[in-house]
Amino acid sequence: MSDIVEATARTAQGTVRGAVERGVAVFRGIPYAAPPVGARRFRAPEPPEPWEGVREAVTYGPTAPKRPYAPPLDRLLPDPEVPGDGWLNLNVWTPSTEAAGLPVLVWIHGGSLLHGSSAVPVYDGSAFARDGVVLVSVNYRLGIEGFGLFPDAPANRGLLDQLAALEWVRDNIAGFGGDPDRVTVAGESAGAVSVAALLATDRAAGLFRRAVLQSGAPAALDPEAARGTTGLIAKRLGVPATAAALAAVDPAALLTAQTEVTSGGNPLTGRNAFQLVVDGELLSRDPAEALRTGAASGVDLLMGTNAEEYRLWFVPGGLIERIGRLKLRLALLKFKVPNATARVYRANRPGATPGELLGALATDLLLRVPLNRLADARTGAEGSTYVYEFGWPSPVQGLGACHALELGFVFDTLAHPDTRALTGPDAPQELADAMHRAWVDFATTGEPGWPSWDASRPVEHFGPDGPALVLAPRDDELRGWDPYRAKP
């Protein structure tokens, strides 16, 4: 006899049957849109077909076409692959389907818009449900399927997928005990970039009350700049850069060409990549500009970075050791880093190597400075703004407080082997307790447990000694960047 306890919930398309695991009800692989294949490929998402009877929702649904991270990151960031065509699915963890009015957190995974899925074990939502929050994790189209730019297909299809998932949450989450008026949307890395775009588009108005940006800043390209990666993939395959032409290409060959074009480099040093696009429809203007000038000003916002984001890309493959003084100088010229700014960073890190200096500068230029700028712009807005920094250093390969390290703390999944690939076996549970509680409290009340942003620039630092409030950390460095440049 099976000892699995079943749980059922009703959606607009039909009834789903999940399981009760560790005291919470879990539903996996629920379709929120129709499979984006065949005639639906490269089109906006369409509603899923209804079903009769009860649909099993115990195992994760298919993941979007992707390839594993290239070595050595593949060992640090395990990325499960589930075969099948119904990529547009989501998972729900809930304290009880009999509950009502519970806060909801919708998770959008990262992965440079090329990798990742909701099946990554680090994102297990059990701890959120245990603590009274309904956790929804979402798959969306990746790479050229979701973000290739064509003249004969809508742009930002992966973002349209995320909107469709949020609309599903609005229409169905009450059946899982959640309150559609108490939704927080959260994401890390490319997921945070996506959340920022959702904040900036009118299409998302009313779909969520709060938002979380982890290690990702608002960004989008103009169409001309965004066409490059799509064009290179089409050229490699010898076909026109149109949706119609690429839809006729064998999917495996298309994925191989995509991998070849986008490999090499990293998010800090640059590479051929997919980006969100200011398409004049879904995104009418650059999300950074939109948010700095008042878009979503009534939405509560929690955002932050890790203290050493760069080490995930610079350390495992030895790049940090290959950056000497000449490469550092050339990079400073390329990124137009003021000499005075570079001197401040050097003075604050007297023993740093050229690679460490470049990493710190790139991290701040691309992540910390834009988020600080956004927080400043929202001072006095109707919605509150909270800023954090994660600073606990992983002992694994000397990664330090690198990109993605905070995820196991936020989800309280430190015990999982996939989390330990990045954290090691001895990550402090007390710090995970504090960080996870802050996210739970923010989703529940809008207040994570420290003061909202004002002229004193309060930042909650989650470090080796536990959480501590710091006012204007490393402000001398921030002043070196426009608009923080010190006045004469």
Side-chain angles (χ1 to χ4, degrees):
M1 179 180 294
S2 173
D3 59 358
I4 296 177
V5 179
E6 297 178 347
T8 60
R10 178 73 184 174
T11 75
Q13 285 74 41
T15 300
V16 290
R17 178 164 49 216
V20 176
E21 303 173 2
R22 290 175 288 177
V24 303
V26 185
F27 301 83
R28 298 182 176 90
I30 303 173
Y32 67 83
V37 296
R40 296 188 180 98
R41 197 172 180 201
F42 299 120
R43 286 167 56 173
E46 299 178 12
E49 294 291 331
W51 57 85
E52 296 183 359
V54 179
R55 182 187 182 108
E56 295 296 331
V58 176
T59 59
Y60 287 110
T63 52
K66 57 190 171 66
R67 292 282 167 81
Y69 288 94
L73 288 184
D74 58 338
R75 296 191 297 273
L76 297 170
L77 302 172
D79 193 6
E81 183 176 350
V82 182
D85 293 335
W87 319 320
L88 303 185
N89 62 77
L90 51 77
N91 317 300
V92 181
W93 285 260
T94 178
S96 172
T97 56
E98 302 301 318
L102 294 174
V104 181
L105 191 148
V106 178
W107 178 253
I108 299 176
H109 69 80
S112 301
L113 303 180
L114 287 167
H115 304 283
S117 77
S118 65
V120 172
V122 179
Y123 306 148
D124 186 291
S126 298
F128 278 100
R130 175 199 69 201
D131 295 330
V133 175
V134 179
L135 191 286
V136 180
S137 59
V138 176
N139 280 345
Y140 56 95
R141 280 174 282 186
L142 301 173
I144 199 164
E145 300 282 351
F147 299 96
L149 187 60
F150 308 110
D152 54 341
N156 298 311
R157 293 174 300 283
L159 194 64
L160 289 169
D161 295 343
Q162 296 165 16
L163 278 165
L166 286 165
E167 290 167 349
W168 184 96
V169 168
R170 177 196 61 199
D171 297 339
N172 294 282
I173 205 62
F176 297 81
D179 185 345
D181 293 324
R182 299 178 70 194
V183 174
T184 299
V185 62
E188 184 265 349
S189 193
V193 176
S194 297
V195 171
L198 292 169
L199 284 163
T201 179
D202 293 339
R203 280 275 305 274
L207 292 176
F208 51 86
R209 182 187 295 188
R210 303 180 181 107
V212 182
L213 306 183
Q214 294 174 219
S215 301
L221 296 177
D222 65 76
E224 189 61 36
R227 289 191 181 95
T229 300
T230 302
L232 289 171
I233 292 170
K235 182 178 180 180
R236 184 172 289 265
L237 292 166
V239 300
T242 65
L246 286 167
V249 174
D250 175 70
L254 179 57
L255 192 55
T256 296
Q258 172 182 292
T259 302
E260 292 170 348
V261 167
T262 59
S263 63
N266 61 66
L268 294 186
T269 60
R271 60 176 173 179
N272 296 316
F274 291 101
Q275 306 279 357
L276 300 181
V277 180
V278 180
D279 58 356
E281 297 180 10
L282 183 61
L283 294 180
S284 60
R285 55 180 174 150
D286 177 67
E289 176 192 356
L291 294 178
R292 287 198 304 267
T293 54
S297 60
V299 175
D300 297 326
L301 183 58
L302 168 63
M303 58 185 177
T305 60
N306 296 353
E308 299 173 301
E309 301 269 4
Y310 71 95
R311 296 187 75 85
L312 179 66
W313 300 292
F314 280 29
V315 172
L319 175 62
I320 195 167
E321 298 164 358
R322 298 194 297 273
I323 297 173
R325 293 182 178 179
L326 177 58
K327 287 186 177 180
L328 173 61
R329 285 198 295 270
L330 292 174
L332 296 181
L333 289 172
K334 176 182 177 181
F335 290 110
K336 299 179 181 179
V337 178
N339 290 332
T341 302
R343 285 195 295 269
V344 171
Y345 278 74
R346 286 192 186 97
N348 288 351
R349 298 164 178 77
T353 66
E356 290 169 336
L357 283 172
L358 177 58
L361 286 158
T363 293
D364 284 5
L365 174 63
L366 299 177
L367 292 173
R368 196 161 72 97
V369 168
L371 293 182
N372 271 262
R373 184 183 300 182
L374 175 56
D376 281 348
R378 285 173 53 92
T379 301
E382 178 184 351
S384 298
T385 302
Y386 300 90
V387 178
Y388 76 89
E389 181 178 65
F390 182 79
W392 180 79
S394 170
V396 176
Q397 299 183 29
L399 287 171
C402 70
H403 190 68
L405 183 63
E406 89 287 359
L407 291 168
F409 293 80
V410 168
F411 280 86
D412 193 11
T413 51
L414 293 183
H416 197 282
D418 282 15
T419 302
R420 292 184 171 188
L422 205 58
T423 66
D426 300 316
Q429 182 60 46
E430 297 82 1
L431 190 61
D433 292 343
M435 199 168 193
H436 173 71
R437 171 50 57 184
W439 265 240
V440 167
D441 288 348
F442 181 71
T444 304
T445 68
E447 299 179 2
W450 62 88
S452 60
W453 192 262
D454 58 19
S456 67
R457 291 180 178 168
V459 176
E460 187 79 346
H461 181 79
F462 294 94
D465 298 322
L469 187 69
V470 182
L471 299 180
R474 304 194 299 282
D475 201 44
D476 58 337
E477 295 176 355
L478 289 179
R479 284 197 304 269
W481 305 95
D482 182 32
Y484 298 103
R485 196 181 310 279
K487 296 180 181 179

